[in-house]
Amino acid sequence: MASASTIDDALERDLSAILGPEGLLTDEASIELHSSDLLRRAGRCCLVIRPDNQDQLVEAVRRIAPTGMPLMPRGGGLTYVGGYVGSGADWVAVDLRRMNRILSIDEEDMVVTVEPGVTWLQLYEALQEKGLRLPFFGTFSGRGATVGGGLSNGALFLGTARYGTSADIVLGLEVVTADGTVVHTGQKAVANAPKPFLRSFGPDTTGLFIHDAGALGIKCKASLRMIRKPAHTDFLSFGFPDRDAAVAAICEIGRAELAEDAYVMDPDKTRQALAAPSDLIRDVKTLGKVVAQEQGLLRGLKAGAKLALAGRDFIEEGCFSLHLVLAGRSRASVDEDMGAARQIAAKLGGRELPNSIPKAGRAEMFSPLDAVLGATGDRWVALNGKVPHSQAKALVDDLEQLLADNADALRESGVVVSRLITIMGNHAFSYEPVFNWHDEWLPMHEATLSAKALRDLPRPPANGATRALVMRLRQEIVAVFARHGAASNQIGRTYPYASILRPESRALLEGVKRTLDPDMRMNPGALELG
């Protein structure tokens, strides 16, 4: 590993020449920002490279390689798993946000190719103009979250209930390895293949670089599958008297493939969604978007009136609310799916509610990035575990027992724990506990918030004792996930990976790592590698 003496004038001069005046950062504020995520400060990078294109990235990586310095790739930075920050010093942060071009939209072959710094919002808007969409098409943080970061860390939500995650829509990648080599995956790996249109030709090499936290290479291009935008969309919400009924309902709706989005909020999560301080201008804009997204003026006006009348007070105390977005090529097909969803909910004791939450969520899909903090300036971190539907109740029961055992400590410390329950395709169930507590902000919070939020939100003081409680419970929850053999997205340096693999599988993974990164310089420690 490099020492401070390695960062000499020659290296800075060469990198400045390669990357241009905006492509190399060494000032203290940039070092602080790139040495932290939304969870903690960790280690300290010595410089930040911000390539503008693939050629700059390749040349910079080749220039850094002889120094032995580790490379830590990052996208929008909106993670809380230590995925792009090392524990030591003298590493290079590779900020890919300037590589933000949509390179091609191929409507004939239904493939879009982008650079890694393209945001999910940017891509959604570009495709919408053409009546197209990705199957999975982004996260709520998609105003700042990037495609490259999402592919490295497992982006999911919008479209996930029907189509899976970001990993399921990738057809091919171009990846820069630790020595500056460019590796093609998918059909484009074939020398004579003119276009990326199929994920695998023989073994699926694309999958090696998905959810890898950048431990195997730096994504510089991604080709993604497109679909035509659904012609009709509608929304349903149901309230259930207990968690078990809500879990059973969302699992059955997942198996029946009825919804594009499906999520359950516990009473705390629902109240958080409804309790954000009302901003009249934003509420009016959201109402206008609800009207605009409906097919036909009369239907749109009725939807807007229903949303306005529902307000924010319709969730009963103790209610677990299930929210669905249903879409299809025809009004009749959507109506049929809605009828099937209503039958499932009714059998499990669900009561139909005003559909304000999913409707407003789709009206403003990519929420303002001020959501990196809670409504009162509180910090939050989430954890997630995915299991088959048949294991959903067992996982939930174990996690709820852990939280119940610590309820007094959480209450005394002012920590609010909410839960978000989702599904992935027709085969996977996801449980996500979220911790909110008041504590000092980190550089990533400061850099992400709007000027209004920076001015208006109260700044909590450092709260080390409560933070320690949250971090302890995070580790205990991660251990519960591991006992259940659960999968997680955003693995980074939070969830065990290499250590929980079967020996043969771990040997294969470590062999791939040694081949691509023999000096263990590419994000060492991520996935427990290097």
Side-chain angles (χ1 to χ4, degrees):
M1 184 174 289
S3 66
S5 61
T6 311
I7 318 303
D8 56 22
D9 291 342
L11 176 62
E12 287 199 29
R13 185 171 59 251
D14 290 349
L15 290 175
S16 293
I18 293 167
L19 299 166
E22 297 181 9
L24 179 66
L25 305 177
T26 58
D27 61 284
E28 185 61 24
S30 297
I31 297 299
E32 283 284 322
L33 175 62
H34 288 79
S35 299
S36 67
D37 62 4
L38 293 172
L39 179 68
R40 62 167 68 95
R41 295 177 174 87
R44 182 176 173 83
C45 66
C46 55
L47 54 87
V48 181
I49 62 170
R50 302 175 68 237
D52 179 66
N53 55 60
Q54 180 173 320
D55 290 341
Q56 286 187 2
L57 173 62
V58 168
E59 196 172 348
V61 168
R62 288 175 177 169
R63 175 60 183 89
I64 294 167
T67 71
M69 289 188 292
L71 301 169
M72 306 291 192
R74 57 176 271 156
L78 302 172
T79 66
Y80 34 78
V81 293
Y84 58 77
V85 289
S87 58
D90 295 329
W91 44 273
V92 177
V94 184
D95 186 333
L96 297 164
R97 286 176 297 173
R98 293 178 70 212
M99 293 178 62
N100 59 4
R101 299 170 188 84
I102 297 173
L103 300 173
S104 66
I105 300 173
D106 189 332
E107 297 183 60
E108 184 175 8
D109 293 326
M110 297 297 281
V111 177
V112 58
T113 299
V114 302
E115 292 181 325
V118 168
T119 66
W120 297 104
L121 171 60
Q122 177 187 350
L123 184 50
Y124 176 80
E125 291 179 339
L127 297 183
Q128 186 180 38
E129 295 174 358
K130 300 176 179 294
L132 300 170
R133 206 192 76 189
L134 301 178
F136 156 81
F137 60 100
T139 67
F140 279 137
S141 58
R143 287 180 182 273
T146 64
V147 171
L151 297 182
S152 292
N153 294 292
L156 54 83
F157 203 83
L158 294 169
T160 287
R162 174 165 288 168
Y163 297 107
T165 73
S166 58
D168 298 300
I169 64 170
V170 188
L171 298 173
L173 299 170
E174 291 184 30
V175 179
V176 178
T177 61
D179 64 356
T181 299
V182 179
V183 175
H184 292 72
T185 76
Q187 187 70 15
K188 198 67 165 59
V190 177
N192 290 333
K195 294 181 179 181
F197 72 97
L198 192 65
R199 176 156 172 163
S200 64
F201 180 83
D204 178 14
T205 54
T206 298
L208 291 172
F209 299 97
I210 303 298
H211 294 196
D212 72 330
L216 299 180
I218 304 170
K219 297 163 189 64
C220 53
K221 290 181 186 175
S223 295
L224 310 173
R225 181 168 73 91
M226 298 188 298
I227 61 174
R228 291 197 172 108
K229 186 177 178 183
H232 297 272
T233 301
D234 216 324
F235 312 88
L236 286 172
S237 293
F238 302 96
F240 294 87
D242 58 66
R243 183 181 293 108
D244 286 350
V247 167
I250 196 173
C251 287
E252 182 57 27
I253 284 168
R255 285 186 286 263
E257 301 179 339
L258 298 177
E260 283 200 337
D261 302 346
Y263 48 100
V264 170
M265 295 178 172
D266 71 359
D268 285 331
K269 194 72 177 176
T270 306
R271 280 193 292 270
Q272 285 180 7
L274 297 172
S278 180
D279 181 327
L280 180 60
I281 294 175
R282 184 177 168 194
D283 284 351
V284 169
K285 288 181 178 178
T286 299
L287 190 62
K289 290 176 182 177
V290 167
V291 173
Q293 73 183 353
E294 293 289 335
Q295 299 290 323
L297 178 61
L298 181 59
R299 188 180 181 90
L301 292 173
K302 287 181 178 178
K306 184 178 177 182
L307 181 68
L309 291 171
R312 299 168 179 241
D313 303 317
F314 59 84
I315 301 295
E316 296 176 355
E317 187 70 25
C319 172
F320 289 80
S321 57
L322 167 62
H323 307 283
L324 306 177
V325 178
L326 308 97
R329 288 188 292 271
S330 70
R331 183 69 242 173
S333 67
V334 175
D335 287 342
E336 184 177 348
D337 287 345
M338 293 176 72
R342 287 184 170 114
Q343 288 181 3
I344 291 169
K347 286 179 181 179
L348 291 162
R351 181 173 64 86
E352 191 162 346
L353 302 173
N355 58 11
S356 302
I357 288 178
K359 186 168 285 186
R362 274 295 185 99
E364 190 169 18
M365 288 175 289
F366 303 100
S367 58
L369 294 179
D370 291 344
V372 295
L373 291 173
T376 60
D378 47 307
R379 283 170 54 181
W380 62 268
V381 296
L383 291 156
N384 63 84
K386 287 92 169 85
V387 294
H389 293 305
S390 58
Q391 290 179 240
K393 187 176 186 307
L395 176 68
V396 171
D397 287 348
D398 279 2
L399 287 173
E400 290 305 318
Q401 186 60 56
L402 171 61
L403 293 171
D405 291 342
N406 289 273
D408 290 343
L410 290 166
R411 184 173 55 255
E412 291 168 4
S413 299
V415 179
V416 175
V417 183
S418 55
R419 294 86 167 160
L420 179 65
I421 301 170
T422 58
I423 51 175
M424 298 163 52
N426 65 358
H427 57 279
F429 168 88
S430 174
Y431 201 63
E432 183 168 301
V434 182
F435 292 86
N436 285 69
W437 80 104
H438 289 90
D439 196 357
E440 64 178 344
W441 299 347
L442 294 168
M444 269 304 302
H445 295 115
E446 300 274 0
T448 305
L449 293 172
S450 67
K452 182 177 186 301
L454 286 169
R455 182 184 69 244
D456 295 346
L457 285 178
R459 290 174 177 266
N463 190 352
T466 300
R467 189 186 322 139
L469 171 65
V470 171
M471 298 307 160
R472 173 178 67 80
L473 290 176
R474 284 180 84 249
Q475 291 305 113
E476 293 182 15
I477 289 172
V478 167
V480 171
F481 288 152
R483 287 200 301 272
H484 283 264
S488 294
N489 56 310
Q490 290 197 28
I491 295 170
R493 292 173 175 79
T494 291
Y495 301 91
Y497 187 70
S499 65
I500 60 175
L501 294 178
R502 299 176 190 274
E504 301 82 4
S505 300
R506 179 169 181 168
L508 175 61
L509 175 65
E510 290 176 339
V512 171
K513 173 73 170 175
R514 285 193 298 271
T515 298
L516 296 170
D517 183 17
D519 298 324
M520 303 294 169
R521 295 175 42 249
M522 190 62 68
N523 207 358
L527 308 186
E528 301 181 315
L529 295 174

